C-alpha cells in the first residue's frame, strides 16, 4: 500500500523518540531459568462468558507455573454494545489477575463500535476510552503484581519487555483490515480513520524494528510478538487483498526482521477464534506472494489462540532457555 510509506515517516520518528526515552527494564529473574506465561484472547464473548470470566481469572491465578498473562484483545463480541460500563467491568476483572497482565486491544472494543448493534459509537472516541481505562500508567502492566515495561508516548498499548532471554512485544494490530474497514454509512475510510491507521501502523512497524534490534544487541534467544489480528487467517480460502492491504507494511516488517534474526520468532494472535499453529511465511507459503514478500522467514512460527465459541481453554507457554525450540505450549481446558 504505497501511501503508507509516504505518510508514515513523521509518526515513525515520534514513536522512535518515545521508545528511546522509555528505558526497557531488565529481565525479571535469571536468564537461564524457564518462564511460563498464559495467553487468552477473544474472551469474554456474550453474557454467559462474561458471567464465567471470573472463573477464568481464578483458574489462571491458581496455576503455580504462570508468571505473566497476555490478553490478545477482543474483550467483547463485535455485535455487543461498546459502553463505558462494559469497559469498566472488564477492567475490574483484569484487576483480579494476580500476575502482570499485558493486554493489546482488539477491533471489537473500538474499531467495530460504529456498527448499529454496538452503539453506534465513533471508533476514535472508543479508542481514547480504551487507552484511558486500560493504560492509565504508561510503562506499567495491568494486574495486581504490576511490573515495568517499555512503552511509547501516544501508543501506550505498544509495549516491550524481556523475560528468560526472549524479547517480547505486544503490538496494537487489529482485525477489520487493521481498522481500515469502512465505518457504517461509508464506502471508504474517513480521513480521520485513515490518519489513525497510518499513525498506529507506523508505530507498530517501529516497535517491531526496535524489538528485533534490542534482541540482537542483547543476544536474546528468541523474539515473541503478541497481536490481536490474524493476518494469515487459514479459514479464508480465497482472501481478497483489499481486505488485508493495511497489514502489508507490518507483515513485510515481520518477514524482513525474522529473516535477519538468527533464532526462532513466535507470533501469537487471536481474531479468527480457532487454535492453529503454522509457519505462514515459510518457503512456498501463499502469503509470501499475497503480501509481496521476496524473502521467506521459515523461523517464524505463528499460534492462534482459541476464542469466542472456542474459548474453552488458555494457552500455557513456557520459555526453555537451553532448548533450540525455546518456546513450547499446550492448551489447558477451563475446569468449569
Amino acid at each position: 500500500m504505497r501511501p503508507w510509506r509516504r505518510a508514515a515517516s513523521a509518526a515513525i520518528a515520534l514513536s522512535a523518540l518515545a521508545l528511546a526515552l522509555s528505558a526497557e527494564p531488565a529481565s525479571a529473574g535469571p536468564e537461564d531459568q524457564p518462564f511460563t506465561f498464559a495467553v487468552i484472547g477473544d474472551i469474554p464473548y456474550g453474557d454467559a462468558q462474561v458471567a464465567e470470566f471470573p472463573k477464568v481469572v481464578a483458574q489462571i491465578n491458581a496455576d503455580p507455573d504462570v508468571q505473566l498473562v497476555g490478553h490478545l484483545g477482543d474483550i467483547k463480541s463485535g455485535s455487543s454494545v461498546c459502553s463505558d460500563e462494559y469497559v469498566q467491568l472488564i477492567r475490574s476483572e483484569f484487576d483480579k489477575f494476580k500476575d502482570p497482565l499485558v493486554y493489546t486491544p482488539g477491533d471489537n472494543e473500538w474499531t467495530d463500535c460504529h456498527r448499529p448493534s454496538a452503539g453506534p459509537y465513533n471508533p476514535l472516541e472508543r479508542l481514547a476510552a480504551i487507552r484511558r481505562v486500560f493504560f492509565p500508567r504508561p510503562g506499567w502492566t495491568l494486574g495486581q503484581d504490576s511490573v515495568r515495561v517499555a512503552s511509547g508516548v501516544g501508543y501506550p498499548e505498544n509495549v516491550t519487555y524481556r523475560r528468560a532471554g526472549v524479547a517480547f512485544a505486544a503490538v496494537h494490530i487489529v482485525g477489520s483490515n487493521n481498522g481500515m474497514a469502512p465505518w457504517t454509512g461509508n464506502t471508504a475510510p474517513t480521513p480521520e480513520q485513515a490518519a489513525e491507521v497510518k499513525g498506529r501502523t507506523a508505530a507498530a512497524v517501529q516497535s517491531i524494528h526496535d524489538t528485533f534490534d534490542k534482541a540482537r544487541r542483547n543476544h536474546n534467544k528468541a523474539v515473541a510478538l503478541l497481536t490481536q489480528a490474524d493476518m494469515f487467517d487459514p479459514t479464508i480460502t480465497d482472501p481478497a487483498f483489499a481486505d488485508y492491504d493495511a497489514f502489508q507494511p507490518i507483515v513485510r516488517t515481520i518477514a524482513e526482521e525474522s529473516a535477519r534474526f538468527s533464532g526462532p520468532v513466535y507470533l501469537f494472535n487471536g481474531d479468527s477464534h480457532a487454535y492453529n499453529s503454522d509457519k505462514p511465511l515459510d518457503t512456498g507459503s501463499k502469503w509470501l506472494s499475497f503480501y509481496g514478500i521476496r524473502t521467506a522467514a521459515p523461523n517464524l512460527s505463528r499460534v492462534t489462540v482459541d476464542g469466542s465459541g472456542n474459548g474453552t481453554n488458555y494457552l500455557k507457554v513456557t520459555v526453555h532457555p537451553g532448548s533450540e525450540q525455546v518456546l513450547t505450549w499446550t492448551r489447558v481446558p477451563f475446569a468449569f
Side-chain angles (χ1 to χ4, degrees):
M1 201 172 166
R2 295 184 183 88
W4 292 100
R5 300 191 183 113
R6 296 194 298 269
S9 58
I12 288 177
L14 175 61
S15 179
L17 175 61
L19 285 168
L21 292 174
S22 181
E24 183 175 353
S27 175
E31 291 280 291
D32 60 348
Q33 295 298 311
F35 173 79
T36 297
F37 59 100
V39 185
I40 55 177
D42 299 274
I43 187 173
Y45 269 41
D47 292 342
Q49 286 193 358
V50 170
E52 291 182 335
F53 195 65
K55 298 178 183 177
V56 171
V57 177
Q59 182 172 339
I60 294 175
N61 282 344
D63 190 327
D65 299 326
V66 172
Q67 298 165 265
L68 183 143
V69 181
H71 191 299
L72 302 181
D74 274 10
I75 55 175
K76 57 179 286 296
S77 70
S79 59
S80 59
V81 177
C82 301
S83 66
D84 286 338
E85 292 77 11
Y86 185 85
V87 171
Q88 290 289 350
L89 171 64
I90 300 302
R91 171 60 202 264
S92 69
E93 294 301 323
F94 278 5
D95 287 343
K96 296 175 183 176
F97 278 106
K98 294 181 179 179
D99 295 308
L101 172 66
V102 175
Y103 159 66
T104 184
D107 55 354
N108 287 357
E109 51 261 45
W110 73 272
T111 306
D112 298 339
C113 292
H114 62 88
R115 297 172 180 173
S117 62
Y121 291 85
N122 180 321
L124 300 186
E125 183 274 331
R126 287 293 83 192
L127 173 58
I130 290 295
R131 286 179 173 146
R132 183 172 61 252
V133 172
F134 291 102
F135 304 95
R137 280 204 309 167
W140 291 88
T141 68
L142 298 172
Q144 295 175 15
D145 185 18
S146 179
V147 297
R148 288 288 304 267
V149 290
S151 66
V153 175
Y155 300 92
E157 66 275 20
N158 285 348
V159 303
T160 61
Y161 50 101
R162 192 172 82 252
R163 296 292 186 277
V166 175
F168 289 85
V171 189
H172 191 177
I173 308 164
V174 296
S176 301
N177 196 18
N178 201 22
M180 283 293 279
W183 298 343
T184 301
N186 296 287
T187 58
T190 68
E192 295 82 5
Q193 178 184 2
E196 187 284 324
V197 176
K198 288 179 181 179
R200 180 167 45 81
T201 298
V205 166
Q206 189 62 51
S207 181
I208 294 167
H209 279 312
D210 289 347
T211 299
F212 278 92
D213 285 345
K214 291 176 183 177
R216 282 186 285 267
R217 289 199 307 269
N218 294 326
H219 304 290
N220 292 146
K221 301 174 179 68
V223 170
L225 307 175
L226 295 87
T227 74
Q228 189 260 332
D230 187 347
M231 298 175 282
F232 315 100
D233 190 345
T235 68
I236 307 299
T237 56
D238 188 22
F241 184 67
D243 295 330
Y244 287 74
D245 58 0
F247 296 129
Q248 188 178 52
I250 296 168
V251 174
R252 284 182 170 177
T253 301
I254 293 173
E256 292 167 2
E257 290 288 3
S258 296
R260 292 177 53 214
F261 188 68
S262 59
V265 180
Y266 301 91
L267 171 63
F268 296 92
N269 67 262
D271 194 19
S272 51
H273 304 163
Y275 174 79
N276 180 57
S277 176
D278 60 10
K279 290 181 174 291
L281 299 179
D282 202 353
T283 303
S285 169
K286 70 175 183 179
W287 297 108
L288 295 175
S289 58
F290 184 84
Y291 282 114
I293 296 169
R294 296 183 179 181
T295 303
N299 60 331
L300 173 68
S301 297
R302 183 276 291 268
V303 182
T304 301
V305 301
D306 283 318
S308 184
N310 295 318
T312 60
N313 61 84
Y314 64 94
L315 195 72
K316 185 174 179 177
V317 187
T318 299
V319 180
H320 305 276
S323 171
E324 184 175 332
Q325 187 175 351
V326 186
L327 266 60
T328 61
W329 54 87
T330 185
R331 288 181 286 172
V332 179
F334 293 134
F336 51 82

Coordinates of all heavy atoms in Angstrom, one line a residue, residues 182-229:
P182 N -14.4 0.2 6.1 CA -15.2 1.4 6.2 C -16.3 1.3 7.4 O -16.9 0.3 7.6 CB -15.9 1.5 4.9 CG -15.0 0.8 3.9 CD -14.4 -0.4 4.8
W183 N -16.5 2.5 8.0 CA -17.5 2.6 9.0 C -18.9 2.6 8.4 O -19.1 2.9 7.2 CB -17.3 3.8 9.9 CG -15.9 3.8 10.6 CD1 -15.1 2.8 10.8 CD2 -15.3 5.0 11.2 NE1 -14.0 3.1 11.5 CE2 -14.0 4.5 11.7 CE3 -15.6 6.3 11.3 CZ2 -13.2 5.3 12.4 CZ3 -14.7 7.2 11.9 CH2 -13.5 6.7 12.5
T184 N -19.9 2.3 9.3 CA -21.3 2.3 8.8 C -21.6 3.6 8.1 O -21.4 4.7 8.6 CB -22.2 2.1 10.0 OG1 -21.8 0.8 10.6 CG2 -23.6 2.0 9.6
G185 N -22.3 3.4 6.9 CA -22.7 4.6 6.1 C -21.6 5.1 5.2 O -21.9 6.1 4.4
N186 N -20.4 4.5 5.2 CA -19.3 5.0 4.3 C -18.9 3.8 3.4 O -19.0 2.6 3.7 CB -18.1 5.4 5.1 CG -18.4 6.6 6.0 OD1 -18.6 7.7 5.5 ND2 -18.6 6.4 7.3
T187 N -18.4 4.2 2.2 CA -17.9 3.2 1.3 C -16.4 3.2 1.3 O -15.8 2.3 0.7 CB -18.4 3.4 -0.1 OG1 -18.0 4.8 -0.5 CG2 -19.9 3.3 -0.2
A188 N -15.8 4.1 2.0 CA -14.3 4.2 2.1 C -14.0 4.7 3.5 O -14.8 5.4 4.2 CB -13.7 5.1 1.0
P189 N -12.7 4.5 3.9 CA -12.3 5.1 5.2 C -12.5 6.6 5.3 O -12.2 7.3 4.3 CB -10.9 4.7 5.4 CG -10.7 3.5 4.5 CD -11.7 3.7 3.3
T190 N -12.9 7.2 6.4 CA -12.9 8.6 6.5 C -11.5 9.1 6.7 O -10.5 8.4 7.0 CB -13.7 9.0 7.8 OG1 -13.0 8.6 8.9 CG2 -15.1 8.4 7.8
P191 N -11.2 10.4 6.4 CA -9.8 11.0 6.6 C -9.3 10.7 8.0 O -8.1 10.4 8.2 CB -10.0 12.4 6.3 CG -11.2 12.5 5.3 CD -12.1 11.4 5.8
E192 N -10.2 10.9 9.0 CA -9.7 10.7 10.4 C -9.4 9.3 10.7 O -8.4 9.0 11.3 CB -10.8 11.2 11.4 CG -11.2 12.7 11.3 CD -12.1 13.0 10.2 OE1 -12.6 12.1 9.4 OE2 -12.3 14.2 10.0
Q193 N -10.2 8.4 10.1 CA -9.9 6.9 10.3 C -8.6 6.6 9.6 O -7.8 5.9 10.2 CB -11.1 6.2 9.6 CG -10.9 4.7 9.7 CD -12.1 4.0 8.9 OE1 -12.9 4.6 8.3 NE2 -12.1 2.6 8.9
A194 N -8.4 7.0 8.4 CA -7.2 6.7 7.7 C -5.9 7.2 8.4 O -4.9 6.6 8.5 CB -7.2 7.2 6.2
A195 N -6.1 8.5 8.9 CA -4.9 9.1 9.6 C -4.6 8.3 10.9 O -3.4 8.1 11.2 CB -5.3 10.5 10.0
E196 N -5.6 7.8 11.6 CA -5.3 7.0 12.8 C -4.6 5.7 12.4 O -3.6 5.3 13.1 CB -6.6 6.6 13.5 CG -6.5 5.9 14.8 CD -6.1 4.5 14.7 OE1 -6.6 3.8 13.8 OE2 -5.3 4.0 15.6
V197 N -5.1 5.0 11.4 CA -4.4 3.8 11.0 C -3.0 4.0 10.5 O -2.1 3.2 10.9 CB -5.3 3.1 9.9 CG1 -4.5 1.8 9.4 CG2 -6.6 2.7 10.4
K198 N -2.7 5.1 9.8 CA -1.4 5.3 9.3 C -0.4 5.6 10.5 O 0.7 5.0 10.5 CB -1.4 6.6 8.4 CG -2.0 6.3 7.0 CD -2.0 7.6 6.2 CE -2.6 7.3 4.8 NZ -2.6 8.5 4.0
G199 N -0.9 6.4 11.5 CA 0.0 6.6 12.6 C 0.2 5.4 13.4 O 1.4 5.1 13.9
R200 N -0.8 4.6 13.7 CA -0.7 3.4 14.5 C 0.1 2.4 13.8 O 0.9 1.6 14.4 CB -2.1 2.9 14.9 CG -2.1 1.6 15.7 CD -3.5 1.3 16.3 NE -4.5 1.5 15.3 CZ -4.8 0.5 14.4 NH1 -4.1 -0.6 14.4 NH2 -5.8 0.7 13.5
T201 N 0.0 2.3 12.5 CA 0.8 1.3 11.7 C 2.3 1.7 11.8 O 3.1 0.8 11.9 CB 0.3 1.2 10.3 OG1 -1.1 0.7 10.3 CG2 1.1 0.2 9.5
A202 N 2.5 3.0 11.6 CA 3.9 3.4 11.7 C 4.5 3.1 13.0 O 5.7 2.6 13.1 CB 4.0 4.9 11.4
A203 N 3.8 3.3 14.1 CA 4.3 3.0 15.4 C 4.5 1.5 15.6 O 5.4 1.1 16.3 CB 3.3 3.5 16.5
A204 N 3.6 0.7 15.0 CA 3.7 -0.8 15.1 C 5.0 -1.2 14.4 O 5.7 -2.1 14.9 CB 2.5 -1.4 14.6
V205 N 5.2 -0.7 13.2 CA 6.4 -1.1 12.4 C 7.6 -0.7 13.2 O 8.6 -1.5 13.3 CB 6.3 -0.4 11.1 CG1 7.7 -0.5 10.4 CG2 5.3 -1.0 10.2
Q206 N 7.7 0.5 13.8 CA 8.8 0.9 14.5 C 9.1 0.1 15.8 O 10.2 -0.3 16.1 CB 8.7 2.4 14.9 CG 10.0 3.0 15.5 CD 11.2 2.9 14.5 OE1 11.0 3.4 13.4 NE2 12.3 2.4 14.9
S207 N 8.0 -0.3 16.4 CA 8.1 -1.1 17.6 C 8.7 -2.5 17.3 O 9.5 -3.0 18.0 CB 6.7 -1.3 18.3 OG 6.8 -2.1 19.5
I208 N 8.3 -3.1 16.2 CA 8.8 -4.4 15.8 C 10.3 -4.2 15.4 O 11.1 -5.1 15.8 CB 8.0 -4.9 14.6 CG1 6.5 -5.2 15.0 CG2 8.6 -6.2 14.0 CD1 5.6 -5.5 13.9
H209 N 10.6 -3.2 14.7 CA 12.1 -3.0 14.4 C 12.9 -2.9 15.7 O 13.9 -3.5 15.8 CB 12.2 -1.7 13.6 CG 11.9 -1.8 12.1 ND1 12.5 -2.8 11.3 CD2 11.2 -1.1 11.2 CE1 12.1 -2.7 10.1 NE2 11.3 -1.6 10.0
D210 N 12.4 -2.0 16.6 CA 13.1 -1.8 17.8 C 13.2 -3.1 18.6 O 14.3 -3.3 19.3 CB 12.4 -0.7 18.7 CG 12.5 0.6 18.1 OD1 13.4 0.8 17.2 OD2 11.8 1.5 18.5
T211 N 12.2 -3.9 18.6 CA 12.2 -5.2 19.4 C 13.3 -6.1 18.9 O 14.1 -6.7 19.6 CB 10.9 -5.9 19.3 OG1 9.9 -5.0 19.9 CG2 10.9 -7.2 20.1
F212 N 13.4 -6.2 17.6 CA 14.4 -7.1 17.0 C 15.8 -6.5 17.2 O 16.8 -7.2 17.4 CB 14.2 -7.3 15.5 CG 13.2 -8.4 15.2 CD1 11.8 -8.1 15.1 CD2 13.6 -9.7 15.1 CE1 10.9 -9.2 14.8 CE2 12.7 -10.7 14.8 CZ 11.3 -10.5 14.7
D213 N 15.9 -5.2 17.1 CA 17.2 -4.5 17.3 C 17.7 -4.8 18.8 O 18.9 -5.2 19.0 CB 17.1 -3.0 17.1 CG 17.0 -2.6 15.7 OD1 17.3 -3.5 14.8 OD2 16.6 -1.4 15.4
K214 N 16.8 -4.7 19.7 CA 17.2 -5.0 21.1 C 17.5 -6.5 21.3 O 18.5 -6.8 22.0 CB 16.0 -4.6 22.0 CG 15.8 -3.1 22.2 CD 14.6 -2.9 23.0 CE 14.2 -1.4 23.1 NZ 13.0 -1.1 23.9
A215 N 16.8 -7.3 20.6 CA 17.0 -8.8 20.7 C 18.4 -9.1 20.2 O 19.1 -9.9 20.8 CB 16.0 -9.5 19.9
R216 N 18.8 -8.5 19.1 CA 20.2 -8.7 18.6 C 21.3 -8.1 19.5 O 22.3 -8.8 19.8 CB 20.3 -8.1 17.2 CG 19.7 -9.0 16.1 CD 19.9 -8.4 14.7 NE 19.1 -7.2 14.4 CZ 17.9 -7.3 13.8 NH1 17.4 -8.4 13.5 NH2 17.3 -6.2 13.6
R217 N 21.0 -6.9 20.1 CA 22.0 -6.3 21.0 C 22.2 -7.1 22.2 O 23.3 -7.2 22.8 CB 21.6 -4.9 21.3 CG 21.8 -3.9 20.1 CD 21.8 -2.5 20.7 NE 20.7 -2.2 21.5 CZ 19.5 -1.7 21.1 NH1 19.3 -1.4 19.8 NH2 18.5 -1.4 22.0
N218 N 21.1 -7.6 22.7 CA 21.1 -8.4 24.0 C 21.4 -9.9 23.8 O 21.3 -10.6 24.8 CB 19.7 -8.2 24.7 CG 19.5 -6.8 25.2 OD1 20.4 -6.1 25.5 ND2 18.2 -6.4 25.1
H219 N 21.6 -10.3 22.6 CA 21.8 -11.7 22.3 C 20.7 -12.6 22.8 O 20.9 -13.7 23.3 CB 23.2 -12.1 22.9 CG 24.3 -11.3 22.4 ND1 24.8 -11.3 21.1 CD2 25.1 -10.4 23.1 CE1 25.8 -10.5 21.0 NE2 26.0 -9.9 22.2
N220 N 19.5 -12.1 22.6 CA 18.3 -12.9 23.0 C 18.1 -14.1 22.1 O 18.5 -14.1 21.0 CB 17.0 -12.0 22.9 CG 17.0 -10.9 24.0 OD1 16.4 -9.9 23.7 ND2 17.6 -11.1 25.1
K221 N 17.6 -15.2 22.7 CA 17.5 -16.4 22.1 C 16.3 -16.5 21.1 O 16.3 -17.3 20.2 CB 17.3 -17.5 23.1 CG 18.5 -17.6 24.1 CD 18.2 -18.7 25.2 CE 19.4 -18.8 26.1 NZ 19.5 -17.5 26.9
A222 N 15.3 -15.6 21.3 CA 14.1 -15.7 20.5 C 13.3 -14.3 20.6 O 13.6 -13.5 21.5 CB 13.1 -16.8 20.9
V223 N 12.4 -14.1 19.7 CA 11.5 -13.0 19.8 C 10.1 -13.5 19.7 O 9.8 -14.4 19.0 CB 11.7 -12.0 18.5 CG1 10.7 -11.0 18.5 CG2 13.1 -11.4 18.6
A224 N 9.2 -12.9 20.6 CA 7.8 -13.2 20.6 C 7.0 -12.0 20.5 O 7.1 -11.0 21.2 CB 7.5 -13.9 21.9
L225 N 6.0 -12.0 19.5 CA 5.1 -10.9 19.2 C 3.7 -11.3 19.6 O 3.3 -12.4 19.3 CB 5.2 -10.5 17.7 CG 6.6 -10.2 17.1 CD1 6.4 -10.0 15.6 CD2 7.2 -9.0 17.8
L226 N 3.0 -10.4 20.2 CA 1.6 -10.6 20.6 C 0.7 -9.6 19.9 O 0.9 -8.4 20.1 CB 1.4 -10.6 22.1 CG 2.1 -11.6 22.9 CD1 3.6 -11.2 23.3 CD2 1.4 -11.9 24.2
T227 N -0.3 -10.0 19.1 CA -1.2 -9.1 18.4 C -2.6 -9.7 18.5 O -2.8 -10.8 18.7 CB -0.7 -8.9 17.0 OG1 -1.1 -10.1 16.2 CG2 0.7 -8.7 16.8
Q228 N -3.5 -8.8 18.1 CA -4.9 -9.3 18.0 C -5.2 -9.9 16.6 O -5.7 -11.0 16.5 CB -5.9 -8.2 18.3 CG -7.4 -8.7 18.4 CD -8.2 -8.5 17.2 OE1 -8.0 -7.5 16.4 NE2 -9.2 -9.3 17.0
A229 N -4.8 -9.1 15.6 CA -5.2 -9.5 14.2 C -4.6 -10.8 13.7 O -3.4 -11.1 14.0 CB -4.9 -8.4 13.3

